[in-house]
Amino acid sequence: PRMKDAKMLDLAYDGEPTDPEKYFEHSFGIFQSGSPVHIKIEFSSKIAPFIKERQWHKSQRIVQKGDGSIVLSLEAALTPELIGWVLSHGGGAYVVEPEALRIRIKEEAESALAKYFKKVA
């Protein structure tokens, strides 16, 4: 819907080839943004089986805790897709580090909550 006037040209691309594996190596999905940081997210025992059943990022490591919860660690850029993914788990996810991501998740959750209180009042 955003593209309106695409046309094929007879010009060859003469730039450097891009290796998608290298370009997206620190991405959490399709967004490419910034340098990787160390991320730790704790997931509740209710969410843990879902998180453990697949590979979310090639750098991920999972530590099982005694209460059934897990801690997922990875090296990735802080992208909108990562933020949305964490938020999609609601109270079942808690960002342990970095603080910048934890603050961003908190702000997004507060913003959503404020909209619901505004609509109810």
Side-chain angles (χ1 to χ4, degrees), residues 8-52:
M8 184 66 100
L9 302 176
D10 289 329
L11 300 171
Y13 175 74
D14 69 2
E16 289 294 316
T18 301
D19 176 3
E21 292 292 324
K22 180 88 172 132
Y23 187 76
F24 291 108
E25 74 179 324
H26 300 298
S27 297
F28 188 87
I30 62 169
F31 286 91
Q32 201 283 338
S33 169
S35 299
V37 296
H38 183 69
I39 299 168
K40 276 187 174 180
I41 306 166
E42 185 171 332
F43 291 94
S44 69
S45 59
K46 187 175 181 180
I47 306 277
F50 170 68
I51 300 301
K52 290 191 308 185

Side-chain angles (χ1 to χ4, degrees), residues 19-115:
D19 176 3
E21 292 292 324
K22 180 88 172 132
Y23 187 76
F24 291 108
E25 74 179 324
H26 300 298
S27 297
F28 188 87
I30 62 169
F31 286 91
Q32 201 283 338
S33 169
S35 299
V37 296
H38 183 69
I39 299 168
K40 276 187 174 180
I41 306 166
E42 185 171 332
F43 291 94
S44 69
S45 59
K46 187 175 181 180
I47 306 277
F50 170 68
I51 300 301
K52 290 191 308 185
E53 73 183 15
R54 71 173 274 204
Q55 183 173 357
W56 299 96
H57 192 267
K58 68 179 183 176
S59 69
Q60 79 181 41
R61 293 178 315 281
I62 294 176
V63 174
Q64 182 78 44
K65 297 178 71 179
D67 62 358
S69 65
I70 61 169
V71 176
L72 171 74
S73 299
L74 52 103
E75 304 291 326
L78 302 181
T79 63
E81 193 168 18
L82 174 65
I83 291 163
W85 181 73
V86 173
L87 287 167
S88 76
H89 299 296
Y94 174 74
V95 174
V96 178
E97 56 185 64
E99 183 179 11
L101 178 57
R102 186 172 54 248
I103 290 168
R104 181 71 191 276
I105 296 296
K106 180 181 176 284
E107 290 170 349
E108 290 290 332
E110 287 172 344
S111 174
L113 188 60
K115 287 178 183 173

